Amino acid sequence: MANIKQIAELAGVSITTVSRVLNNHPYVQEAKRQAVWDAVHKLNYSPNSNAVHLVKGRTGMVAVLLPFVNHPFAGMVLEGIAEQALLNNYRLILCQTNYDQNEEKRVLDMLKSKQIDGVIIVSRKGKWEMVESYASYGPIVACEKVDSEVISYVHVDRYRGTQECFRYLVEKGYRQIGFSLGTSGTHNGKKRMQAYLEGIGDLKEPVRPEWIFENCYQMEDGSQVVQQLARLKERPQAIMVAGDLPAAGMITEAKKLGWRVPEDLAIIGFDNLPLASILDLTTMNVPSFEAGKVAFQLFIDQILERRNKLKERKIVTKKVELPLKFIIRGSA
């Protein structure tokens, strides 16, 4: 394999000049620049990426850790991240974990071994204490609220959003209210469940476990929820859903069964995906694309902070909260 010394000899320039050309240094005579590139092509030279990473101190790659790549919410966050990554000449490594904590750790190990410059966590299940232990190896940014001095985050207040959805149903006269969410094992899931249980408590209604559904992410999951409700002797008047996709599945399945929405079952989603307006779904608008853009900017800010800081200075993290907006339509 050709090396820089051979390129320099063939081009008739110094090794320093070759290095400057390969790194796009502006102060090189055009004739010498062309001679170097001619030699590069003639020798079929390809730079050793690991060596380049060592010299530059960065890989130009950031991992995006997310549970599923086929979920619209994650997709919209990813779009925001990708837009900013392109503008900043960064490449993304998508790491789907299925909420497997071992997979989450493998991604963080990539940061430790300098295969990537940082990690943006869209959602995770592992403990933050474990995540924090990797923060010294590079920037870690979360798309949820984190009580941490070493992790920057952008988030929306899903606890408050769930409270607002619940209050709306109560104001509309509903008291028997069910709940569907992805998982109660994450920070957001726990906060959503807390808001729901507090609402039920305020109504002095009993908690009905058969009206609470977990692991609901896709339309088919929502369809299965309605099928289960149909088998119950007593079903809720309304159901809050922590995502528009399963809510859409519920609307579709309810209509198949001849149920009227909202008369027989009121349904509220969360996210305000494009299909929500098509299905006339009442929902909570989450600025997912903007969250992705902000998350990447927080990553870049950390990169610059770490590059410019003195060793004794503490890394400054940033906390950003984006606003939610309740969208009233015909499903509730």
Side-chain angles (χ1 to χ4, degrees), residues 103-121:
E103 287 298 325
E104 293 172 2
K105 187 176 184 302
R106 288 191 185 97
V107 177
L108 293 167
D109 284 336
M110 292 172 64
L111 180 63
K112 183 177 181 179
S113 61
K114 304 300 182 184
Q115 298 176 59
I116 52 178
D117 292 339
V119 180
I120 298 175
I121 301 176

Side-chain angles (χ1 to χ4, degrees), residues 135-249:
S136 61
Y137 301 110
I140 299 175
V141 175
C143 293
E144 62 181 68
K145 191 172 184 177
V146 188
D147 184 16
S148 172
E149 295 183 356
V150 294
I151 297 175
S152 293
Y153 68 77
V154 55
H155 85 121
V156 296
D157 193 336
R158 285 178 167 80
Y159 170 78
R160 194 164 60 202
T162 303
Q163 281 186 319
E164 187 173 348
C165 293
F166 198 98
R167 281 196 301 268
Y168 172 81
L169 288 173
V170 172
E171 290 169 1
K172 296 282 284 187
Y174 297 102
R175 294 183 62 85
Q176 298 172 331
I177 302 170
F179 189 41
S180 166
L181 73 164
T183 174
S184 60
T186 64
H187 170 82
N188 284 330
K190 290 175 181 176
K191 286 296 184 181
R192 281 169 156 164
M193 183 64 79
Q194 179 186 345
Y196 169 72
L197 294 176
E198 288 174 353
I200 294 295
D202 290 342
L203 287 175
K204 302 296 191 294
E205 292 284 340
V207 175
R208 302 284 293 268
E210 68 272 24
W211 291 356
I212 300 174
F213 303 89
E214 288 200 48
N215 300 312
C216 295
Y217 300 101
Q218 304 295 340
M219 288 186 67
E220 53 266 32
D221 299 325
S223 297
Q224 290 173 12
V225 166
V226 170
Q227 292 168 15
Q228 292 179 56
L229 291 177
R231 293 192 289 268
L232 297 177
K233 290 184 179 180
E234 186 178 1
R235 63 176 186 255
Q237 302 166 318
I239 187 165
M240 297 192 310
V241 191
D244 286 348
L245 269 190

Side-chain angles (χ1 to χ4, degrees), residues 226 249-261 265 267:
V226 170
M250 291 181 196
I251 290 176
T252 303
E253 190 65 26
K255 290 182 177 179
K256 286 181 182 178
L257 296 176
W259 297 0
R260 297 167 301 162
V261 178
L265 181 67
I267 301 171

Side-chain angles (χ1 to χ4, degrees), residues 45 49 56 85 117 124 128 150 174 191 202 206 232 236 253 296 317 331:
Y45 170 78
S49 59
K56 291 187 174 182
D117 292 339
R124 96 290 165 257
W128 280 116
V150 294
Y174 297 102
K191 286 296 184 181
D202 290 342
L232 297 177
E253 190 65 26
F296 190 87
T317 57
S331 69

Side-chain angles (χ1 to χ4, degrees), residues 260-273:
R260 297 167 301 162
V261 178
E263 291 84 358
D264 297 318
L265 181 67
I267 301 171
I268 290 183
F270 210 101
D271 287 336
N272 197 29
L273 300 176

